[in-house]
Amino acid sequence: MSSVAQTELEKKVLSELNSYRASYKLSPVSWDPVAYKAADHHSQWMSKVGFSKMDSLMEIKDEKVGLDAHYESIDVPNFVEIFDPLGRGKKFGLPDNAYIEEICNMARSSDASSPIIVKMLPDNKLAKHIILKFSKSPPHNDAMLQKNDFPLKAAVRSIVIGEIVYTTIYFIEKLD
């Protein structure tokens, strides 16, 4: 398990998320260490499961919109799965009086314009691409644009392996 710290890519994704929210006149989310630990755990699991298995978990089946991707139902050797988003929050210190949302996806971390030359996207373009991809999924978009009466906190965890970036954004609304 990694320590609580953000990479430059994660900072840029959080900044893009806040820019996206601002375009809808919503307040920004602030970074939260509990959310980071939960997001980190899930992105670690996704990256260990791998692209092909995660791709099948994210498929839309019988009007169920890829929810299987949020349940750590595939056993990964030498990794302790935490079954669902709420369980991850509780494991890392989520208060009882909190509401959570978790969104996750996989995206190409390289420029797809040239099939011959692999060119990795710079962090700022990759961050925009990640938020754009989330915005095209109605449930993910709703989570990013949630209106909040209490302070909304979040964290992003992105793990790049080869040409795939595994990203989880974990939101916490602390009901004071």
Side-chain angles (χ1 to χ4, degrees):
M1 186 64 56
S2 67
S3 63
V4 178
Q6 292 177 285
T7 66
E8 286 305 309
L9 173 59
E10 292 160 354
K11 289 176 187 176
K12 289 183 184 330
V13 173
L14 190 61
S15 177
E16 283 299 322
L17 170 62
N18 282 329
S19 293
Y20 185 67
R21 287 177 56 80
S23 73
Y24 286 87
K25 301 193 182 345
L26 294 171
S27 60
V29 299
S30 59
W31 187 84
D32 183 82
V34 170
Y36 188 82
K37 289 176 185 177
D40 175 56
H41 188 278
H42 195 59
S43 287
Q44 292 283 348
W45 177 79
M46 289 192 317
S47 71
K48 291 174 187 310
V49 167
F51 178 82
S52 61
K53 287 182 184 174
M54 285 307 303
D55 194 42
S56 69
L57 290 176
M58 290 182 174
E59 285 179 6
I60 298 173
K61 302 172 194 163
D62 302 322
E63 298 186 32
K64 188 164 96 174
V65 185
L67 292 177
D68 290 345
H70 294 278
Y71 301 113
E72 295 181 1
S73 58
I74 296 173
D75 182 44
V76 174
N78 303 314
F79 187 85
V80 178
E81 290 79 13
I82 303 172
F83 183 68
D84 61 14
L86 184 58
R88 286 187 280 284
K90 294 288 184 194
K91 167 75 176 168
F92 297 113
L94 180 72
D96 288 334
N97 64 337
Y99 171 78
I100 63 111
E101 289 269 352
E102 177 186 84
I103 59 177
C104 61
N105 76 20
M106 300 179 303
R108 286 183 63 102
S109 58
S110 61
D111 183 347
S113 64
S114 173
I116 298 169
I117 300 170
V118 175
K119 182 179 176 189
M120 302 309 283
L121 291 171
D123 286 349
N124 61 329
K125 287 187 178 182
L126 184 52
K128 287 179 191 281
H129 176 62
I130 289 167
I131 294 300
L132 178 64
K133 187 167 182 184
F134 276 131
S135 74
K136 291 183 178 186
S137 161
H140 290 129
N141 195 54
D142 289 349
M144 290 193 305
L145 296 178
Q146 59 188 293
K147 294 180 173 114
N148 45 307
D149 297 322
F150 297 93
L152 184 62
K153 298 183 177 265
V156 175
R157 180 63 170 122
S158 292
I159 298 173
V160 179
I161 298 183
E163 291 186 62
I164 305 297
V165 59
Y166 301 86
T167 299
T168 303
I169 303 178
Y170 195 93
F171 298 91
I172 299 174
E173 187 172 8
K174 295 181 179 176
L175 311 177
D176 295 328

